[in-house]
Each structure stands twice: as structure tokens, then as C-alpha cells.
Amino acid sequence: MADGPLKETKVTSSHWGAFEVDVEGGRITAARPFAPDPHPSAIPDILPAAIHHRSRVARPSIRRGWLERRDRQGRGSDEFIALPWDEALDIAAEEIARIRRTHGNEAIFGGSYGWSSAGRFHHAQSQVHRFLNSIGGYVASFGSYSTGCAQSIMPHVFGVNFLTMLYEHQDGWHTLAEHTETLVMFGGINPKNAQVSMGGITEHDTRTWFDRFAEKDMHCLNIGPQRSDAPENCAWLPLKPATDTALMLALAHVLETEGLTDHAFLARCTVGFDRFRRYLMGETDGIPKSPDWAAPICGTDPETIRSLARRMAATRTLITVAWSLQRAEHGEQPYWMSATLAAMLGQIGLPGGGIGYGYGAIGGVGKSFLGLRGMTFPQLDNPVRKVIPVARIGDMLRNPGALYDFNGRREPYPDIRLICWAGGNPYHHHQDLNALHEAWQKPETILVNEPWWTATAKRADIVFPATTPYEREDIGRSNLDDYLFHMPALIPPQGEARDDYDIFAGLAARLGAGEVFTGGKTSAEWIPELYAEYRRLAAEEGIEVPDLDELRGRNWVKLPIRRDGPNRTLFAPFREDPDAAPLGTPSGRIEIFSETVAGFGYDDCPGHPVWLPPAEWLGAATEAAPLHLVSPQPGDKLHSQLESALADLPGVRPATLVIHPDDAAPRGIATGDLLRVHNARGACRARAALSDGIRPGVVALPTGAWYGDPGGNIDPDGNPNVLTRDVGTSRLAQGSSAHTALVEVAKL
Ligand SMILES: Nc1nc2c(c(=O)[nH]1)N[C@H]1C(S)=C(S)[C@@H](COP(=O)(O)OP(=O)(O)OC[C@H]3O[C@@H](n4cnc5c(=O)[nH]c(N)nc54)[C@H](O)[C@@H]3O)O[C@H]1N2
Ligand SMILES: Nc1nc2c(c(=O)[nH]1)N[C@H]1C(S)=C(S)[C@@H](COP(=O)(O)OP(=O)(O)OC[C@H]3O[C@@H](n4cnc5c(=O)[nH]c(N)nc54)[C@H](O)[C@@H]3O)O[C@H]1N2
Ligand SMILES: [Mo]
């Protein structure tokens, strides 16, 4: 640790990659790119300002109204009172004990969604879950805002765990470079998003691969509302958001009517095509899903659809689908339909052909390294079996006891009295934040560990100041990357911040579970022990990893992990012999029709893929809300992290809204104008940027701003989640519908 005047330079790791930092006099004074990274992220530039920012939580703090009267009303407006650690921990532990005594552990919500920071041991989710398990468990959450919908629907279609399929089985970039002739990207593949990867990404290589694709004359087509969703050297088919399923159906219709369907593949490897075909051809509902039918829905022309279908059938084609398509109402449909379309093309199981999900969503997809899992801090068992779909938190808080459907089961929402959050910012990430804010008043107590006074910390009752990764020792490593980092404690904890581990150890001790949580060890004892186990497992896989002292000395090493050869092709063994290597579906085949899903009887997710228009899309535009809002991930940061320091920079806040000149002109809007973006759910400010790279009728406002003003007034910094809808994708998956929203935009 450097707290003297001497300058020291070290490398550390983060979700957005490795970077070098200078430390002088106990402060981080500069951050620079890590030399081996060909396309480093610029996110670390803001780090020195953010780490020492005035918005750090300096001391344990309790909201005045809660401390004095246990009232719930002042969340977001009350002042906080700073207390000594022992006193604050005593009060928090007593409250946790009271809730457990009166309502049981089923009244504690510890779903605690969020990315927190990189670093294997101090991973906030593992810490909070282990703590809550050590005291009798908590209500957990299933899935993620990223892929919750796909995680529920895709096992019905392919019989695999969706994330395992993406991370461990999908074709690597090198296979695409070698074999793919046509790359059809629904929702694009964006190096901006590939900037980050959970746990870290060291060599940012998405751009490099697309340059390679261009050299090989691969036809790369980005289908979606924004040209910028794919590298500049890709073609663009502008599409109305939420209409991909209609386009895919029309492509399927062309294949079927022009004799281009691979019926041999369908017969060998799929079930249910005949039932789906009747819908496709219009035999069940009188509407053939032809290019003429789809063109006005999608906002394209029938001939474009026909020629694309022919090209896809004539060349080695990989269909890729961005995660954004399932982060929308009926997000199950484009996922299921893309699998169906790929099956009809008959290329599933061929290298560089078939289907792939989430390339570019995070930088690790497509890197295709072999094996070697990261070191993990065990979370213990959760005796409470209640689990809600992660994005249904608002409904859960609003409707305790109400029955809800989820993937074939019907269950009551638990009655939550205590929320315990570490490493996430629901007041950035959840939809319809004005409604969440109302629901947030229901629990008796809200406990948050945070390094910064985020929108969520400001609306908690008890806030414990947490360290950042730069203030504690850890190991940096992602399963999708081939580097290993020692992350040294670069600076002392800021203010009175403590590691999540020590905060939870303090609470657990007061609740009589100290030994269960800590196992009798400090973090300085856990890290060498977990690392030694990791090193042993690596050795079993034939990968030599330096011992901890050597890693500490070297700071980082590139591990001798191999990329998969071209023989890793998604579903290749299944294609070769579907009887010998069946899928995990009930039929052992790709299910174009699923008896299981049909058996649930959901009208919002029937037994085969269908076109179901969402409640809000351009086909349902109104005078009050005529524009479709997409809210993509921010380019200059990771979600809401480092927000307070970024917001200090000129021109960063309010956030920038991209709008087409045809939509700007009638509203008198020019680039740089201050805007009011609004609908019936809320309003926020934004700064206009005119672009012809967005489809007319669509506006894009990235996530990342913290929620400012409660109560439905205008959110000052431009958080799109005051405008988005808080509904599940369907009763099947109950995923987040963040990309489903209509809005109006006016000059402020
Ligand atoms: N409209 C719209 N909304 C969306 C999306 C969208 O596409 N559109 N996308 C959704 C998706 S996919 C996601 S993943 C979510 C992201 O939402 P979140 O994951 O909640 O966002 P983050 O800002 O990464 O939150 C991490 C928090 O952890 C804190 N933190 C960092 N390190 C530590 C630590 O060591 N200890 C503790 N205690 N805290 C720490 C950070 O300061 C930060 O406040 O947003 C979702 N919301
Ligand atoms: N820099 C940076 N990178 C990130 C993150 C970050 O915060 N910052 N967050 C990471 C996380 S947690 C995740 S989950 C991934 C998310 O990765 P994705 O889900 O792929 O990303 P999004 O940014 O939500 O959306 C990508 C694009 O989809 C398009 N889109 C929206 N709706 C539709 C539609 O109906 N049809 C089509 N065809 N296109 C549509 C929009 O134009 C949008 O720009 O990104 C990761 N990468
Ligand atoms: Mo995500």
C-alpha cells in the first residue's frame, strides 16, 4: 500500500478491462491503458476523480426519520445522521433480528441485483448472499436484467442452459472468420458494449474481428433501429423496434414458398414444424406471414425481405440476436423465432452457420477460451426457497401475497419487510422508477452497502460505506478471458469505508452467526486459501498458474489457456447424430412447437413462435406518445457506475438523446437543445443529438444517469427508466421489458 509521497504504478482489473494507475500520497492520480490491450476502454479516465469524489459515503449513516421514529415516508428526502461503526452495526443487527423474529427470513429480500465491481473474493453478490444464508436465508431472484427472458424460454427450445450455451459452446470469432459468409445481426454487434465483460476483459478485440470479416468480404448486415449498433463497415437494414419476429416470419415464409427450407434437417433435428407451418402459411388465422404482410409492420419493403431470405439460404449464414431483443415485451418470440428460422435454413451445427446469441453484448462472448473457471467464495445454502424473477421486484413490493405466473408455476409474492442490497443500483436499473419509488416505501427497513451516495443509497434507511476494489486486495479473473490479475490495495479505504466482507462479518457476529459467515477467517486468510484451491483446479486442467506470492510480484500474467479450435461448433455433435447426442428438451430435438410451453396455456407465449405486438410500439403510437424509445447501454461507462464524477464534466448531463432530423424538424429541435422527454409514466431532461443513423420514429436515450427527482416531476439527468414500462416479457419468462416504451419529445 502506498500512502507515502512516492509515486507507484500498478495494473488492476475491472469489468471494462485492465488499466494502469499511478498512486501518489495515498491517492490515485492517473489511469492509463494497459499496453497489451489493442482497443482499451476510455472508462478508466474518470476513475481518479470518481474514487476521491465528494459523493463517496464517508461514514455509516442512518436516515433521521427511520432512526427517530422508524418512519418510511422520508426515503429520498430525509437527511442522514453519521454514526460510529459499532453503533450503526448494533442498530442494523437489532433490526435484522427483529424482522426475523416477527416475520421470518421469508420477509428479507436479498436478490440484490447488480454488477458491483470485478474481483473474485470481494464480489458483493457473493458476500451479501453468504451473509444472509448464514443467518437463515432470504428471498432470492432468478435471472438477470441482461438475459432473464432468454434464460427461461431457450431451455424449452434447445434444452440447454442459455448462459452455458453462449459462454461455452457457441462458435468463436475465429470460426466465424473462417466459415461465415453472411452475418445477419438482429440488434447489431456493438464494440461499444463489448467494452465490458463481467469479471474483466483484457484484449478488446471485437473491432479487430470485424476488420478481418471485411477483408474476407463477409456480408455483415445490422438489422435494427440504429446504424451505430454495428461497426461502420456493416450494411444496415433500418427496422422498427419490436418487429424482428415479423421480419423473421416473413423470411421463413420466403424459404417455405420458394422451396428453400431444409426439410431433411427439420425432420431429423426438430419437432413441431408442421404445426408452426400452418400458422406461418396463414392456415390457422387466415394471415400468411408473407413479406407483403411483414413489410408495413417492420417499416421495410417486401423485396428486401425476399432477397435477404435467398441470400441466407444460398450462403453459410449465421443469425445473431442481441440481448436487447428479449429485453422487451414478448421478448420470448424473436428468440424462439430466430432459432426456428435458423433450423429452417438447416445450418445449425455447421461451423460459422446457424444461430448465436449475445455476440458483442459483452466482450467475452466469441472469445471461446477452453475451460478454467474462476475462483469463487462459497455462498452457503439458502434455506428459504422463495425466488422471484429478478425484474418483478416492483410487483413483489406492491402486491404481497398476490399470485403471479412464471414458467409454468403460479406462486404468491412474498411479503417483504427488509431489503438488503449490496453491489447494485435499482434506482438506475429498474423500469418505471416513479412506480418503483412508491413500492419502495412499503418495506420497514432498507439496508444498502455502497461506496457512493447513489440514487439507491439516498433512498435507504441504513447505509454502510463500502470500499472500492482499489482499496482492498483481490484476484481479478473472468472465465471468458485469458489473463489473471493480482489486484493490490492501491490506496487506503476512503473515509471510514469497510470491505463488504467486514461489514457482513460485523453484522453476522452480532446475530450469533459470526463463525458461520467467516469460517473463522479474515479476508487476508480467505484469499490465499481460495487462490490455492483455484491453482490446484487449474493444474488439474493442465494450466500452470503462479503461486500467490509470485502473482503479487508480477501483478498480472497471461494464462496459457487455448482458444477452441474450429471443432467447437454449437450443436455439431447433435447435428451429426441426434439420437446419440440428443438435446435436453423433452423430445431430444429442437422444439419449434413445445408441448410444455403450450401446456402452460399462456396467451402471451403460446406453443410456437408467433408475432405478438407489444402494448407500446410504433404500430400503437398515439398523439401523446408517438416515438419509440430504446434505452441502450451507455458508451462512456458501465451502467450507473462512476456517475457522480462523470456528471461533473461539461456536456455529459443531462444524457444525450439521439433523434432523426425528420422527427426533430417538426418539433423545432436542433442538436444541443435541452429536451423534455415524457409519457404518462414520467418525464426526464435530455440533450438532443440529430442523426440519420437512427430510424425515423425512434429515439435512443442511454441508461446510466441516477434517478433524481421523486414524485413524477422531471428527472434532471436523463434516466430513461422514468419512462419505461414495468411489465414482464410474458407470463413465461417475466423478464425486463426495458426497450418497450412510447414517448414524446419537446424542446424545454
Ligand atoms: N431502460 C433500461 N434499463 C436497463 C437496461 C436497459 O437496457 N434499458 N439494462 C438493464 C441491465 S441489462 C442491467 S445489467 C442493469 C444494470 O444495473 P446495475 O447492475 O444495478 O448497475 P450498476 O451501476 O453496475 O450497479 C452497481 C452498483 O454497485 C456499486 N458497487 C461497485 N463496487 C461495489 C462493491 O465492492 N461493494 C458494494 N457494496 N457496491 C459496489 C456501484 O457503485 C453501483 O452503484 O440495468 C438494467 N436496466
Ligand atoms: N459500455 C458499456 N457496455 C455494456 C454495458 C454498459 O453499461 N456500458 N452493459 C453491459 C450489459 S449489463 C449488458 S446486459 C449488455 C447489453 O447488450 P445488448 O442487450 O445487446 O445492448 P443494448 O445496449 O440494450 O441494446 C443494443 C441495441 O439494440 C437495439 N434495439 C433495441 N430494441 C430493438 C429491437 O426491438 N430490435 C432490434 N433489432 N434492435 C433493437 C438498440 O438500437 C440498441 O442500441 O451490454 C453490456 N455492455
Ligand atoms: Mo445486463
Side-chain angles (χ1 to χ4, degrees):
M1 175 155 327
D3 40 16
L6 285 180
K7 184 160 124 181
E8 196 189 9
T9 299
K10 284 279 188 185
V11 170
T12 192
S13 174
S14 71
H15 294 308
W16 47 84
F19 53 97
E20 232 176 64
V21 288
D22 291 341
V23 180
E24 271 173 280
R27 291 179 73 84
I28 293 179
T29 50
R32 273 182 308 274
F34 181 53
D37 188 348
H39 296 287
S41 163
I43 295 175
D45 294 355
I46 198 67
L47 199 92
I51 294 304
H52 303 288
H53 199 264
R54 59 184 181 284
S55 61
R56 286 293 299 266
V57 182
R59 301 181 59 196
S61 302
I62 303 191
R63 190 170 60 76
R64 183 184 286 282
W66 187 91
L67 187 63
E68 292 174 353
R69 301 177 301 279
R70 293 292 187 272
D71 89 10
R72 313 178 201 175
Q73 266 51 58
R75 289 182 185 137
S77 54
D78 259 6
E79 64 169 339
F80 279 85
I81 298 173
L83 292 175
W85 267 106
D86 275 342
E87 213 175 304
L89 287 169
D90 285 347
I91 294 171
E94 263 169 47
E95 177 62 2
I96 296 170
R98 184 190 70 82
I99 300 272
R100 287 171 67 206
R101 230 176 17 247
T102 340
H103 306 286
N105 282 66
E106 294 206 352
I108 302 176
F109 182 66
S112 185
Y113 183 75
W115 269 52
S116 65
S117 52
R120 303 296 312 191
F121 176 75
H122 292 288
H123 179 236
Q125 302 316 314
S126 311
Q127 296 288 343
V128 66
H129 294 156
R130 183 179 169 100
F131 161 64
L132 291 172
N133 286 337
S134 77
I135 61 159
Y138 63 97
V139 173
S141 59
F142 169 82
S144 63
Y145 282 73
S146 317
T147 57
C149 170
Q151 284 173 266
S152 290
I153 185 68
M154 296 320 278
H156 292 295
V157 181
F158 285 129
V160 288
N161 176 300
F162 179 69
L163 295 179
T164 309
M165 166 177 141
L166 253 70
Y167 298 150
E168 295 177 22
H169 301 296
Q170 269 184 196
D171 300 15
W173 292 121
H174 54 290
T175 307
L176 273 61
E178 197 169 329
H179 297 278
T180 307
E181 294 167 310
T182 303
L183 182 64
V184 179
M185 304 172 281
F186 287 92
I189 290 179
N190 199 334
K192 179 260 287 176
N193 281 11
Q195 228 182 132
V196 313
S197 211
M198 42 284 247
I201 162 157
T202 313
E203 295 178 20
H204 292 87
D205 56 1
T206 312
R207 273 180 206 286
T208 319
W209 284 111
F210 271 85
D211 291 343
R212 187 89 67 88
F213 297 168
E215 280 163 27
K216 298 201 64 180
D217 281 334
M218 190 189 296
H219 180 65
C220 299
L221 177 65
N222 163 27
I223 301 180
Q226 293 198 81
R227 186 195 289 147
S228 60
D229 286 333
E232 304 70 34
N233 46 15
C234 300
W236 180 38
L237 169 54
L239 191 80
K240 289 185 199 166
T243 67
D244 305 77
T245 306
L247 179 64
M248 293 172 192
L249 282 164
L251 291 167
H253 192 272
V254 177
L255 298 182
E256 194 50 19
T257 50
E258 299 193 2
L260 300 172
T261 308
D262 186 339
H263 285 285
F265 180 84
L266 291 178
R268 253 170 31 89
C269 296
T270 72
V271 293
F273 179 72
D274 43 342
R275 294 194 65 166
F276 166 75
R277 187 183 182 282
R278 275 182 260 146
Y279 167 78
L280 180 69
M281 305 313 284
E283 289 160 22
T284 51
D285 60 358
I287 306 169
K289 310 301 174 301
S290 66
D292 291 320
W293 164 80
I297 294 174
C298 305
T300 183
D301 65 286
E303 209 32 57
T304 302
I305 301 175
R306 283 190 198 99
S307 60
L308 176 59
R310 290 172 198 141
R311 179 196 274 271
M312 290 169 81
T315 56
R316 179 63 56 86
T317 295
L318 182 70
I319 300 170
T320 66
V321 190
W323 291 348
S324 57
L325 274 76
Q326 51 87 65
R327 206 174 306 114
E329 201 179 1
H330 305 139
E332 295 84 1
Q333 302 310 320
Y335 265 54
W336 201 348
M337 187 54 217
S338 59
T340 301
L341 179 60
M344 290 173 70
L345 286 166
Q347 299 189 27
I348 291 176
L350 296 178
I355 188 80
Y357 299 95
Y359 286 98
I362 55 166
V365 176
K367 278 189 176 275
S368 70
F369 288 114
L370 282 170
L372 192 60
R373 290 178 183 279
M375 130 187 170
T376 43
F377 183 42
Q379 298 183 9
L380 308 174
D381 286 328
N382 186 354
V384 174
R385 298 287 167 207
K386 283 214 177 290
V387 180
I388 62 153
V390 69
R392 298 277 50 82
I393 177 176
D395 286 347
M396 171 188 74
L397 295 177
R398 270 185 293 274
N399 311 307
L403 292 174
Y404 70 99
D405 288 304
F406 173 47
N407 209 359
R409 35 177 251 234
R410 171 166 288 188
E411 280 188 31
Y413 281 120
D415 186 357
I416 296 302
R417 306 300 176 117
L418 171 75
I419 293 180
C420 195
W421 218 295
N425 189 0
Y427 271 96
H428 145 264
H429 72 230
H430 192 63
Q431 285 57 68
D432 198 352
L433 286 176
N434 293 323
L436 177 73
H437 190 62
E438 271 183 58
W440 196 253
Q441 311 309 315
K442 290 207 165 185
E444 289 164 38
T445 301
I446 295 168
L447 207 154
V448 168
N449 290 9
E450 247 294 337
W452 285 274
W453 280 108
T454 62
T456 301
K458 284 182 192 157
R459 288 164 182 82
D461 301 317
I462 303 176
V463 182
F464 289 124
T467 52
T468 67
Y470 319 99
E471 296 148 49
R472 60 197 184 210
E473 184 187 32
D474 212 335
I475 301 297
R477 162 94 182 107
S478 154
N479 297 348
L480 307 177
D481 199 57
D482 57 345
Y483 284 73
L484 173 69
F485 296 89
H486 177 249
M487 299 166 66
L490 296 163
I491 52 172
Q494 299 298 288
E496 292 182 17
R498 289 187 182 174
D499 299 347
D500 291 299
Y501 180 79
D502 293 324
I503 299 170
F504 291 131
L507 289 174
R510 284 167 173 79
L511 291 160
E515 274 286 313
V516 185
F517 177 74
T518 64
K521 289 185 268 284
T522 64
S523 52
E525 289 162 336
W526 269 111
I527 290 171
E529 185 176 311
L530 295 173
Y531 184 82
E533 171 65 6
Y534 165 69
R535 194 165 168 251
R536 194 186 61 73
L537 290 174
E540 271 177 19
E541 291 189 44
I543 298 163
E544 206 187 314
V545 171
D547 70 29
L548 187 54
D549 281 335
E550 188 187 339
L551 184 68
R552 281 184 176 127
R554 290 170 65 177
N555 199 175
W556 60 272
V557 289
K558 185 166 180 165
L559 296 173
I561 307 180
R562 282 180 304 118
R563 282 186 203 270
D564 255 329
N567 49 355
R568 171 160 118 178
T569 292
L570 183 64
F571 299 131
F574 164 70
R575 178 195 181 89
E576 209 155 288
D577 189 343
D579 289 323
L583 300 181
T585 53
S587 62
R589 303 289 189 267
I590 299 168
E591 302 217 338
I592 295 173
F593 182 90
S594 162
E595 297 284 354
T596 311
V597 175
F600 297 157
Y602 300 151
D603 54 359
D604 54 0
C605 189
H608 60 70
V610 292
W611 157 246
L612 285 174
E616 295 187 23
W617 69 297
L618 286 174
T622 63
E623 209 174 307
L627 301 168
H628 192 127
L629 172 79
V630 291
S631 43
Q633 309 291 12
D636 55 354
K637 63 212 286 267
L638 175 65
H639 312 137
S640 72
Q641 302 200 23
L642 315 178
E643 164 71 9
S644 45
L646 264 177
D648 286 346
L649 301 179
V652 170
R653 290 289 173 257
T656 300
L657 175 121
V658 182
I659 183 168
H660 193 275
D662 291 355
D663 296 316
R667 294 170 173 83
I669 293 169
T671 290
D673 281 350
L674 207 52
L675 305 175
R676 178 168 189 268
V677 193
H678 58 99
N679 61 20
R681 291 177 288 273
C684 68
R685 301 198 312 162
R687 184 82 60 186
L690 271 58
S691 166
D692 62 6
I694 193 159
R695 207 191 173 287
V698 185
V699 290
L701 179 64
T703 61
W706 291 349
Y707 176 75
D709 188 43
N713 295 327
I714 192 158
D715 181 70
D717 287 343
N719 185 324
N721 279 323
V722 299
L723 304 159
T724 51
R725 285 182 86 217
D726 182 13
V727 292
T729 51
S730 81
R731 284 187 284 165
L732 185 114
Q734 296 284 13
S736 155
S737 296
H739 284 298
T740 308
L742 288 171
V743 299
E744 176 57 298
V745 176
K747 235 164 113 161
L748 195 69

